[in-house]
Amino acid sequence: MRYEIPGGSEPISPEYTELLARLDRLTALLDSQFRIPWTPIRFGWDAIVGLVPVLGDLAMTVASFYLVSLARKLGAGKAMTAVMIGNVLVDTLIGAIPIIGTVFDIWFRANERNLRLLVDEIERRRSSGV
């Protein structure tokens, strides 16, 4: 897992840790699995599958919403979920534009943005004891 959850007053269950690790793996698969050689540019299946008009974008939107549902299971509140859905919708709408959309997918990485939001919230809660 790329993100470490800081210690807090309550232990983290193995199920919670595994769910977070699954979310992390799927996010990497969709947004940063591959790297363009000799550059720092990373991309994932979202950019590749998104090259298929309509169906590719639809499939990646469904996958992104699945990741948002995992974030809800991990404790994302309604406000955070709304921001995450907004990220997915922006990615979907702009990502549907041929060529420009693929470049946007590589740059925007909605799933990684959403994972970072969730991890920041988990860290905040654990450090404050909430």
Side-chain angles (χ1 to χ4, degrees), residues 100-115:
I100 293 170
T102 300
V103 172
F104 182 77
D105 282 337
I106 292 169
W107 172 77
F108 189 67
R109 298 183 192 168
N111 301 305
E112 287 200 355
R113 285 175 187 262
N114 289 343
L115 179 60

Side-chain angles (χ1 to χ4, degrees), residues 44-53 55-57 59-60:
W45 286 103
D46 187 8
I48 296 168
V49 175
L51 290 170
V52 178
L55 292 178
D57 295 314
M60 292 300 93

Side-chain angles (χ1 to χ4, degrees), residues 15-35:
E15 295 83 14
Y16 187 91
T17 303
E18 174 51 38
L19 190 58
L20 185 57
R22 182 181 345 152
L23 179 61
D24 184 51
R25 284 189 307 271
L26 292 172
T27 296
L29 189 69
L30 291 177
D31 284 352
S32 60
Q33 180 72 28
F34 309 106
R35 185 176 60 83

